[in-house]
Amino acid sequence: MSEFLQFVASGVGQGAIYGLVGVGFVIIYNVTGIINFAQGHYLMLSALAAVSLREAGLPAVPALLLAIVAGALAGVATDRLVISPARRHSTLTLIILTVGVAIAVEGLALLIWGVNPRRYAPFTAGPPLEVGGAALSRQTLWVLAVTVAMALALWWFFQRTVVGKAMQACAMNRDAARLQAINPAQMSLYAFTMAAAVAGVAGVVLVPITSAYYDMGIPFGLKGFTAAVIGGLVSPFGALAGGLLLGVAEAVAVGYVSSAMAEGVAFAVLALMLVLRPEGLLAQVRTRWA
Amino acid sequence: MSQPLLAVRGLRAAYGRIQALRGVDLEVHPGEVVAVIGANGAGKTTLLRTLAGLMPPAGGTVLLEGRDVTGRPAEEMVRLGVALVPEGRQVFYGLSVWDNLVLGAYHRRGQADLRRDVEEVFALFPVLAQRRRQAAGTLSGGEQQMLAIGRALMARPRLLMLDEPSLGLAPKVVRDVMGRLVELRARGVTVLVAEQHARAALAVADRAYVLERGRIALAGSRERLLEEPAVRAAYLGRRALRTGAAADEKADTGAPLTMSEE
């Protein structure tokens, strides 16, 4: 039992990251209809930027904040330079364009940072903490705390601000939103920026755990997408829950079977979800954003 | 007469190669309630969607107080004072009544007087006040129609356009909704309403246009159209003229009108 708890403890940290990436998929998909395959790449950019900014001598807090801004700017660039000019084309074309963005960003990262993983010290030094018989690394606690903070911030944004409501309205009925002077192009920009910023946050809290490397965008993007699909692709909070579920499933499979299982679990869960329950495990929260 | 609030000249619109509007001329003057009546597929929805900026016109001009606004997108038309209550209401189902209304004033967001405007909508439609926290999707059809009108009013339009407000509503509710249009005119709102339900529309309109296969087939004051034999036959239903509201349903089918030139 304590072994199982340990797997859960090591899974929730990763899972929270998948969830944060998944939130971005949900936001962009709902507002624009696009599945953004560059989603994991914003995480990669922010993670690598954090390492470089810290190495350049910046104190930790500004380095991390600037790294998140860098990820968010990549989202702005995706919308303004790629999606917005191609807006007249079909959604499928736009989705394929995001694959192009992902490849381009990864190539750029390879040129800038090279192939070697980069390390970043945990935010707080010290031994793991004992929680109910399982050891939780201090960085995992950071990840969980930041994830909770992000969830609260998103809830506040979508439930309490007019712009958040406008984004929901645009997701529910684009024509009706336009009739209220809500500009879908602007909502698209907001969606890409937010999604990239949330992925960026995930990137900087993750980097002390996994290190940062130029081709981490695809695996994290895939797992974020799986998390979003588990949540039914309609609810940011469903995506967060889906991420935690996926992270724990992965850790359990690795622990009981083999570390070679890690990648397979996400693919298997994604395939099963799309075939058996494409509406998500949490279908009743459809169209609810909180 | 004064300068028209809205003047439409030779407006054309098409879906691919299918012509939906083949040169529509119409005018709406400040303070009027103008109806566009016509059968299903006559082009009423296309006309209003084009005027609202949801569809680009294929030709013609749209003047708002003499200013050329042809082809402006919906986001801009709302700011210019043209609001549309779309066909089928299209309220934001997952959002509360209150949120729907606040989004109606999206381009004025942050302004201090929004709350007062919401209260004014509640005064016009008291049922919405009782349901302010309820999700719009849980409202009845008539309540949703009132919410859609209230949402459009939140933009403080000079011209309020309504597309088929009677659709799917019980006759009593239709009369209620139409009655509100008269109330709105008293408050200085100019109204352009497209209706298949000619009887309901003519009951409140000052003037009306009959739209047929993308063209204006007939135009005139309410009194004139109510007298027009072709309108009576095609849109009001012969039986309806004798038995009043009993044949409301029948009128909805509106067979094509064999033009008044005859």
Side-chain angles (χ1 to χ4, degrees):
Chain A
M1 188 60 204
S2 73
E3 196 185 38
F4 179 77
L5 270 181
Q6 184 56 53
F7 297 148
V8 171
S10 45
V12 287
Q14 289 278 320
I17 298 293
Y18 303 156
L20 288 175
V21 177
V23 165
F25 275 102
V26 170
I27 293 172
I28 291 176
Y29 174 71
N30 279 283
V31 174
T32 69
I34 297 170
I35 301 288
N36 175 28
F37 282 106
Q39 195 57 33
H41 293 71
Y42 307 134
L43 169 147
M44 175 270 288
L45 272 182
S46 287
L48 281 166
V51 174
S52 287
L53 289 166
R54 196 81 174 91
E55 283 173 357
L58 249 68
V61 171
L64 296 177
L65 290 178
L66 275 177
I68 294 167
V69 170
L73 286 178
V76 172
T78 308
D79 181 73
R80 285 291 106 140
L81 302 181
V82 181
I83 298 301
S84 186
R87 179 67 62 195
R88 284 168 192 284
H89 295 279
S90 73
T91 303
L92 184 62
T93 306
L94 298 178
I95 291 173
I96 291 167
L97 278 174
T98 70
V99 176
V101 170
I103 294 169
V105 169
E106 190 166 309
L108 198 68
L110 177 61
L111 286 177
I112 298 174
W113 286 287
V115 294
N116 292 325
R118 305 295 200 89
R119 302 194 142 281
Y120 191 103
F123 295 179
T124 336
L129 301 175
E130 196 84 6
V131 180
L136 267 181
S137 79
R138 285 168 190 248
Q139 192 62 32
T140 299
L141 290 177
W142 272 105
V143 168
L144 294 178
V146 165
T147 303
V148 169
M150 293 306 292
L152 289 175
L154 285 166
W155 180 86
W156 174 82
F157 177 75
F158 285 117
Q159 293 305 309
R160 290 282 178 268
T161 73
V162 179
V163 175
K165 302 261 170 70
M167 284 176 75
Q168 291 187 60
C170 194
M172 290 169 193
N173 186 331
R174 188 167 309 197
D175 273 357
R178 292 187 61 199
L179 291 174
Q180 320 311 320
I182 298 168
N183 184 345
Q186 199 171 24
M187 296 301 119
S188 169
L189 174 64
Y190 294 164
F192 272 91
T193 309
M194 280 181 63
V198 175
V201 168
V204 303
V205 292
L206 170 75
V207 57
I209 298 178
T210 62
S211 299
Y213 43 99
Y214 82 99
D215 59 353
M216 72 198 296
I218 291 173
F220 279 94
L222 167 77
K223 288 165 191 179
F225 179 56
T226 307
V229 168
I230 294 173
L233 264 178
V234 289
S235 150
F237 304 94
L240 281 175
L244 290 174
L245 210 66
L246 178 62
V248 171
E250 235 180 47
V252 168
V254 168
Y256 284 119
V257 189
S258 138
S259 60
M261 293 290 289
E263 303 301 311
V265 167
F267 277 113
V269 169
L270 180 59
L272 282 174
M273 286 298 305
L274 290 177
V275 171
L276 299 178
R277 214 175 152 76
E279 73 277 24
L281 286 182
L282 308 158
Q284 69 277 17
V285 299
R286 182 171 294 274
T287 75
R288 289 299 308 267
W289 287 53
Chain B
M1 216 165 173
S2 58
Q3 185 188 37
L5 177 59
L6 179 77
V8 179
R9 303 270 176 263
L11 189 68
R12 293 188 290 112
Y15 298 94
R17 297 168 72 179
I18 300 164
Q19 298 273 318
L21 298 179
R22 304 155 184 265
V24 170
D25 296 292
L26 66 81
E27 281 185 0
V28 181
H29 292 268
E32 277 189 314
V33 174
V34 174
V36 175
I37 58 179
N40 211 347
K44 300 187 301 297
T45 293
T46 307
L47 174 63
L48 293 198
R49 283 176 61 87
T50 308
L51 292 177
L54 285 175
M55 238 184 107
T61 53
V62 179
L63 302 178
L64 189 67
E65 285 183 326
R67 179 177 168 196
D68 190 345
V69 295
T70 316
R72 302 285 182 90
E75 301 88 68
E76 206 180 322
M77 289 306 287
V78 181
R79 288 168 205 269
L80 291 171
V82 178
L84 170 65
V85 179
E87 184 176 24
R89 311 179 263 280
Q90 303 191 29
V91 293
F92 301 118
Y93 290 120
L95 296 177
S96 70
V97 166
W98 180 275
D99 289 342
N100 268 273
L101 292 175
V102 168
L103 285 177
Y106 182 71
H107 69 287
R108 298 191 289 125
R109 64 187 173 280
Q111 285 179 15
D113 48 0
L114 287 190
R115 194 167 285 269
R116 209 191 58 213
D117 285 4
V118 174
E119 291 306 329
E120 260 180 51
V121 170
F122 285 162
L124 190 63
F125 302 116
V127 65
L128 295 181
Q130 298 159 22
R131 309 233 187 284
R132 65 178 81 193
R133 296 192 188 290
Q134 233 169 286
T138 65
L139 302 185
S140 72
E143 289 165 352
Q144 284 184 19
Q145 189 63 62
M146 290 170 192
L147 176 56
I149 295 172
R151 182 179 65 177
L153 289 174
M154 287 297 292
R156 289 197 182 159
R158 285 181 293 167
L159 175 66
L160 178 70
M161 303 192 294
L162 302 98
D163 190 358
E164 211 82 59
S166 78
L167 193 74
L169 301 184
K172 183 175 170 296
V173 183
V174 171
R175 278 193 295 277
D176 190 19
V177 168
M178 291 294 173
R180 302 313 168 91
L181 300 187
V182 178
E183 220 170 303
L184 287 176
R185 176 181 43 194
R187 294 178 183 221
V189 182
T190 305
V191 176
L192 177 63
V193 53
E195 258 301 341
Q196 204 176 119
H197 194 328
R199 175 175 306 281
L202 288 177
V204 297
D206 302 307
R207 289 189 303 118
Y209 293 87
V210 178
L211 191 64
E212 234 172 53
R213 287 185 229 97
R215 283 200 187 88
I216 300 294
L218 198 59
S221 67
R222 165 172 72 154
E223 292 76 16
R224 190 179 150 225
L225 289 183
L226 283 171
E227 293 301 309
E228 186 72 39
V231 172
R232 293 168 68 138
Y235 296 101
L236 300 176
R238 276 172 240 278
R239 205 160 60 88
L241 287 177
R242 290 196 301 270
T243 60
D248 272 0
E249 294 303 312
K250 196 178 179 193
D252 284 354
T253 55
L257 199 159
T258 35
M259 289 295 297
S260 55
E261 287 104 277
E262 290 180 3

